[in-house]
Amino acid sequence: MDKKFLKEIRIHARAGQGAITTASILGDALFEEDKFSYAFPHFGAARMGAPMNAFVRVSDRPVRLRSQVYEPDYLLIIDPTLIRGFDVFKGFKDEGVAVINSEAEISLSGLKKSQKIFFIPANKIAQEIIGRPLGNTAILGAFCAVTDLVKIESLIKAINKRFSGKVAQQNVETAKRGYDYIKK
């Protein structure tokens, strides 16, 4: 029997920055590829701006594990200010990949050389396209570019299911710009 495929993604953000939407869209994109996915949030203090996490598990079999993700394969850091106050890299796997929303590289300590870190000005991209600094779809586009976990075409389908009209169009363009930012 084949070994079970299971990857875990942890998203760090503040409440109101779209982490739940990010997890939901990513889960739907993975589902588009006939993978089993489970996306869910975890809140600390239930107030706008409070640090929070969202998680996505993906497997080739139904996902039954319902706990938080403690040893992520992938990290999506929507708010880089969280790096200063929280150990966002706690449990980060040795071969892990992180995508961080930042216009400039941030000096990070304690990481292993085998761990890959990508910086993307996601909020800047979103501001230019959507008119608001909500860079989650740009981060998801970048995630498609740095991993082979999900294709950009699947992400676009998931975005079009989540949103409609102009909002969908703007978020698709933002995701594509995030993807292209990494690929160039």
Side-chain angles (χ1 to χ4, degrees), residues 103 121-133 170 173-174 177:
E103 291 187 34
N123 282 356
K124 181 179 178 187
I125 291 170
Q127 182 70 44
E128 290 171 5
I129 297 169
I130 300 172
R132 297 178 63 198
Q170 290 173 326
E173 186 178 343
T174 302
R177 284 267 305 273

Side-chain angles (χ1 to χ4, degrees), residues 22-51:
T22 303
S24 178
I25 290 171
L26 181 56
D28 287 345
L30 292 161
F31 190 74
E32 287 288 332
E33 297 182 5
D34 295 327
K35 297 172 182 164
F36 292 92
S37 63
Y38 179 60
F40 58 102
H42 174 264
F43 296 96
R47 62 177 168 74
M48 187 71 92

Side-chain angles (χ1 to χ4, degrees), residues 7-79:
K7 296 291 182 184
E8 297 180 309
I9 302 146
R10 189 171 65 208
I11 301 166
H12 291 270
R14 294 186 185 277
Q17 291 182 317
I20 298 171
T21 302
T22 303
S24 178
I25 290 171
L26 181 56
D28 287 345
L30 292 161
F31 190 74
E32 287 288 332
E33 297 182 5
D34 295 327
K35 297 172 182 164
F36 292 92
S37 63
Y38 179 60
F40 58 102
H42 174 264
F43 296 96
R47 62 177 168 74
M48 187 71 92
M52 56 89 57
N53 300 113
F55 310 97
V56 180
R57 283 196 174 90
V58 58
S59 178
D60 57 349
R61 299 176 190 167
V63 178
R64 307 258 186 245
L65 186 59
R66 298 296 195 242
S67 68
Q68 295 182 38
V69 170
Y70 296 103
E71 296 180 348
D73 298 281
Y74 306 103
L75 289 170
L76 301 178
I77 302 173
I78 294 174
D79 189 331

Side-chain angles (χ1 to χ4, degrees), residues 114-148:
S114 59
Q115 295 170 324
K116 296 179 182 167
I117 309 296
F118 296 89
F119 296 95
I120 175 172
N123 282 356
K124 181 179 178 187
I125 291 170
Q127 182 70 44
E128 290 171 5
I129 297 169
I130 300 172
R132 297 178 63 198
L134 297 172
N136 50 1
T137 50
I139 287 177
L140 287 174
F143 181 76
C144 291
V146 300
T147 72
D148 59 357

